[in-house]
Amino acid sequence: MPALSSESTLQLLLFVDERHSARDLVEELEEFIEADPESGVNLQIVDVSDRPYLAEHFKVVMTPTLLRITPLPRQVISGKNLLSKLKTFWDDWLVQARINASGVASGHSGLADSIAYSTELIQLADRLFQLKRDKEELEEQLRFKDRIVAMLAHDLRNPLTALSLALETIEVGGEKITPKLMEQLLQHARNQTKIVNAMITDLLEAGRGTNKEFHLDLRKIELDKLCHSVVNDLYFTNRLKVKEQELVVDIPSGLPLVFADEERIRQVLTNLLGNAVKYTPVGGKIVFAVLDRTSQKTEVSITDTGPGIPPELRDRIFEDRYRIERDGNEDGYGIGLSLCRRIIRAHYGQIWVEDAGKQGSCFRFTLPVY
Ligand code: ADP
């Protein structure tokens, strides 16, 4: 919206909503005003759904409403036949505007002051609205961080409990502990420390990821809708048909919202489903499932009946440009999974692959719920 011009002597604000009829009114009004370019009229349009605070400030209770800002006193025309009502006042308004303008020219600053005031007021109202929005967004992010801290504390407690159990067993076991059992317990303890360590590394990377690598546009999203839109994408339905593969979709309704960057998560889902289709032979089966795992996490799993991932490569496939040699004939650059991992980590989630029953791989990732 252009700023109010102090050159104009008649300042009008038109409050409209998004209805089709509003567009016609705006056009008619602009045409009417432009028919007399010498009149010095400045008309601004305010869509009340975009700027409800302006309607509130000017106490506009219905649309359309035309407000004469200057010359003072303010006047209001509302409702149907607005243009014909305006025409009845028009000549009077122009005369009053001219009288006011000549007042300014002869040293009375009332009009200029009032225009400056209106301009400033509209700018302040805009700024205030923006600040309120920023504040809400920041509060939302703070709430999300609080939940993440609670979730991480909960996650860290599991390996630590297992670790302390192993240590206690060693402590109280005394002579009953054979060298073999001792070795097993120590190995168990070492494994739990590794898990804690890996979680801390992930956490540090997530912090770095959110700040630098990606500009995540975090919002409350409905994961079920997003998943449905990915699995129903024409690209996949076509590819599944070509490879004669069966896709089983198990997405429960009533899933909690997740706080995530919708497009980034779409990228992850597309990569994982794309891989499942690519690496599963003709006639295979793919299961796409979402699970409301705990009150803090939602889990997505994509299971296929392809060749599976050998246990020793289950970390490596998430590295940049890593491809299993056997798959050299398939299209690809080995970057899809590493991108998925970066995205999921940046959301404070986890991603991994495991066996899928008899044959195939099962890729899983978690996202914190909102
Ligand atoms: P790309 O598929 O482009 O090679 P990715 O990063 O997506 O790259 O995957 C890395 C590697 O992991 C692949 O090259 C493939 O060897 C293996 N892989 C990924 N998904 C599957 C799957 N569903 N089944 C079997 N192997 C897979």
Side-chain angles (χ1 to χ4, degrees):
M1 182 160 97
L4 290 174
S5 149
S6 53
E7 304 289 307
S8 314
T9 52
L10 185 54
Q11 302 279 351
L12 305 175
L13 277 187
L14 176 68
F15 289 86
V16 288
D17 55 28
E18 71 273 15
R19 276 178 295 180
H20 188 70
S21 55
R23 249 179 290 149
D24 295 344
L25 175 66
V26 169
E27 269 173 30
E28 282 166 18
L29 211 57
E30 282 175 344
E31 223 169 84
F32 174 69
I33 290 171
E34 277 160 21
D36 181 9
E38 300 298 304
S39 62
V41 178
N42 178 293
L43 170 72
Q44 292 175 65
I45 317 296
V46 178
D47 185 333
V48 288
S49 47
D50 287 345
R51 308 160 108 198
Y53 48 89
L54 278 185
E56 205 173 295
H57 176 82
F58 287 108
K59 302 197 169 41
V60 170
V61 289
M62 66 183 290
T63 55
T65 285
L66 184 73
L67 205 78
R68 187 181 87 178
I69 302 278
T70 55
L72 290 172
R74 277 193 194 141
Q75 300 221 355
V76 181
I77 306 175
S78 295
K80 278 188 194 155
N81 306 324
L82 193 140
L83 185 56
S84 42
K85 287 182 202 162
L86 173 67
K87 282 178 184 167
T88 62
F89 293 111
W90 192 243
D91 289 340
D92 277 354
W93 282 16
L94 285 181
V95 170
Q96 286 170 25
R98 266 179 222 125
I99 294 170
N100 257 276
S102 60
V104 175
S106 61
H108 299 290
S109 59
L111 172 65
D113 280 353
S114 131
I115 292 171
Y117 170 73
S118 301
T119 308
E120 205 175 319
L121 188 82
I122 291 175
Q123 282 167 352
L124 280 176
D126 271 348
R127 184 92 193 97
L128 188 69
F129 183 65
Q130 190 52 44
L131 284 173
K132 269 191 196 152
R133 265 230 288 254
D134 289 352
K135 178 173 167 267
E136 276 163 20
E137 220 163 83
L138 283 173
E139 280 173 351
E140 195 151 90
Q141 287 187 6
L142 278 178
R143 273 197 297 277
F144 176 66
K145 290 261 177 206
D146 282 350
R147 279 165 189 260
I148 294 295
V149 170
M151 181 188 80
L152 291 170
H154 181 266
D155 283 357
L156 277 169
R157 198 163 277 151
N158 290 340
L160 283 177
T161 310
L163 175 64
S164 63
L165 265 176
L167 292 178
E168 257 170 53
T169 315
I170 294 174
E171 229 168 44
V172 299
E175 286 170 9
K176 271 184 259 160
I177 298 193
T178 61
K180 191 171 169 222
L181 180 59
M182 175 67 100
E183 184 42 41
Q184 278 173 348
L185 286 167
L186 286 175
Q187 189 56 43
H188 184 63
R190 277 194 287 269
N191 288 344
Q192 300 308 312
T193 347
K194 273 191 206 152
I195 292 174
V196 173
N197 200 21
M199 285 169 76
I200 292 172
T201 311
D202 276 2
L203 182 60
L204 292 175
E205 277 190 28
R208 272 202 292 275
T210 23
N211 297 338
K212 281 197 218 139
E213 237 177 307
F214 302 116
H215 294 288
L216 291 184
D217 183 13
L218 294 174
R219 287 168 201 279
K220 282 179 258 182
I221 62 164
E222 295 176 72
L223 191 59
D224 47 350
K225 273 201 189 146
L226 176 62
C227 290
H228 280 297
S229 100
V230 172
V231 296
N232 293 322
D233 193 296
L234 215 59
Y235 170 73
F236 283 120
T237 35
N238 282 340
R239 286 191 62 196
L240 286 160
K241 208 184 279 171
V242 170
K243 289 195 80 174
E244 294 168 16
Q245 291 165 339
E246 181 194 0
L247 174 66
V248 177
V249 178
D250 179 11
I251 304 172
S253 52
L255 284 172
L257 297 173
V258 294
F259 199 57
D261 184 322
E262 186 159 351
E263 286 319 303
R264 290 293 190 178
I265 300 302
R266 186 190 298 279
Q267 224 174 340
V268 172
L269 295 167
T270 307
N271 265 328
L272 295 181
L273 190 58
N275 278 351
V277 176
K278 176 162 71 172
Y279 295 107
T280 300
V282 172
K285 179 177 168 183
I286 295 162
V287 181
F288 185 114
V290 185
L291 198 77
D292 188 6
R293 231 175 57 137
T294 63
S295 58
Q296 291 157 327
K297 283 183 205 173
T298 297
E299 184 179 292
V300 177
S301 67
I302 295 168
T303 313
D304 61 49
T305 52
I309 312 286
E312 67 280 10
L313 299 181
R314 286 182 190 167
D315 278 336
R316 294 214 62 191
I317 53 165
F318 290 97
E319 287 171 14
D320 210 13
R321 291 176 196 285
Y322 186 82
R323 307 194 73 198
I324 303 181
E325 261 185 52
R326 66 162 195 223
D327 296 321
N329 291 336
E330 295 287 352
D331 285 347
Y333 302 98
I335 49 178
L337 287 180
S338 74
L339 179 66
C340 290
R341 182 167 70 173
R342 273 184 286 153
I343 294 174
I344 295 301
R345 279 183 174 169
H347 283 83
Y348 297 90
Q350 284 155 329
I351 183 166
W352 70 100
V353 62
E354 41 188 65
D355 272 333
K358 267 190 252 153
Q359 197 205 342
S361 3
C362 174
F363 283 85
R364 295 181 187 275
F365 71 86
T366 56
L367 282 177
V369 304
Y370 178 70

